[in-house]
Structures are given as structure tokens and as C-alpha cells.
Amino acid sequence: MTYIYRYRSPLGGITVSSNGDAITGLWFDGQKYFGLTLPKCYEERALPVFKETKEWLDIYFGGKDPGFMPPLKMETTPFRRSVWNIMLNIPYGKTMTYGQIADNIATRRGLSRMSAQAVGGAVGHNAISLIIPCHRVVGTNGSLTGYAGGIERKIQLLALEKTDISKFYIPKK
């Protein structure tokens, strides 16, 4: 069974899903790819994993690094899982480029190169936003692109983490 929890953040509603033991999804309501791993049948229920996730979100939106991770279950392909695992290691307040992630995966796989566009697809389909910090991934040229929750939210999240966003290019609408 899949369970959900709804959280009210300063940046809008968030829906969190769980298998009962671990977080399987976290999306801003209405974002691109909303509910990607959410089945048609689910139940809203209070669970210990949601209490832990609420605590994580409260600390995060309070402007601090939570310093812990609720249990996660990444229901995805092996390639996306490898990208998401790299994103989990981007420190709070820091960023990494799509190209750096591609280079990291290429090195791990013994390849001469990896497509940054393929990495971008995996980043964009991240089903556990915020906790797996896809908002910390930026273009090689410093462009703030590719956030399924919207560029404005990406900017707000980076600013919340006190990331120096003055060095990034913000695309015009």
C-alpha cells in the first residue's frame, strides 16, 4: 500500500508518499512530473516516517541543514538511482553541474564520457525532491535551469541555503 502526507511549506503545498517504511516520493503540488511514482490508489495516514520527514522539512524551511535523512526508497532505474545518489552527496548550500555529475558517472563506469543531457533527464525525474536535492544541480555555464518545481522555487531554495546565487545566470521568462 502507498500512503501520503501533505505538508504546507513557505513555497507551496508538498505531497509526500511512502510505502509505510520509507519515503518513495516528495513533490511540490502541481510541479512537472508530480506523482511520478504515486499509484492511483493510496491512503492518507499518519506514519512515523512522515513525522520524521515533517521534522526534516521544518528544519530545512527554517533555513538550516537538517543533518539527518529520513529513510528513502528510490523506485527508479539503475541509471537514475546512480544520479540521485550523487545528488544526495551535494552538500547543503553548494551546487554541482550536470557535467560534473556526468563526469562522475563516466569515471565510475570506466567510460570516456557520459551525456550531461542524460543526467539532466535523471535529475528532472527525481521523485524525491528537496531531500534528494536536484535544486542544487546547475548548468555548466552557471545557468539555473531544469528544476521541475520551477525556476523561481529553485532560486528560493538556493537562497534559503544561503548559496551565492549572484554567480548564476537566471533565465528570463
Side-chain angles (χ1 to χ4, degrees):
M1 182 64 169
T2 298
Y3 305 97
I4 67 163
Y5 167 72
R6 298 185 193 280
Y7 180 85
R8 282 272 163 243
S9 85
L11 303 181
I14 291 175
T15 299
V16 185
S17 68
S18 172
N19 62 3
D21 298 315
I23 298 304
T24 56
L26 188 151
W27 309 270
F28 281 103
D29 295 345
Q31 81 172 49
K32 189 175 184 182
Y33 309 120
F34 176 86
L36 187 64
T37 58
L38 194 60
K40 294 193 186 313
C41 295
Y42 53 83
E43 182 180 314
E44 200 161 342
R45 179 183 288 180
L47 298 170
V49 70
F50 289 148
K51 182 179 180 191
E52 190 174 352
T53 302
K54 179 190 181 307
E55 181 182 352
W56 191 98
L57 290 166
D58 287 346
I59 293 167
Y60 180 83
F61 284 112
K64 295 184 177 84
D65 181 352
F68 69 94
M69 185 75 57
L72 306 178
K73 179 157 178 30
M74 294 181 246
E75 298 174 343
T76 191
T77 67
F79 175 72
R80 287 181 181 173
R81 181 175 290 109
S82 67
V83 172
W84 297 1
N85 277 323
I86 291 170
M87 288 190 297
L88 279 168
N89 290 300
I90 303 171
Y92 181 91
K94 302 294 182 191
T95 60
M96 185 175 228
T97 68
Y98 295 96
Q100 288 171 317
I101 294 173
D103 290 346
N104 187 309
I105 291 173
T107 299
R108 289 180 187 196
R109 293 184 174 188
L111 303 171
S112 60
R113 63 180 302 274
M114 168 65 60
S115 165
Q117 287 79 14
V119 167
V123 171
H125 285 82
N126 173 17
I128 308 175
S129 292
L130 291 177
I131 295 175
I132 299 177
C134 51
H135 61 279
R136 295 180 190 151
V137 182
V138 300
T140 302
N141 65 356
S143 181
L144 294 181
T145 62
Y147 188 61
I151 296 300
E152 286 304 316
R153 275 198 189 115
K154 183 172 190 158
I155 293 165
Q156 291 172 310
L157 293 169
L158 291 172
L160 178 71
E161 295 182 16
K162 297 174 183 54
T163 305
D164 179 9
I165 60 173
S166 68
K167 63 184 176 182
F168 298 116
Y169 167 73
I170 301 170
K172 304 293 181 215
K173 292 182 185 182

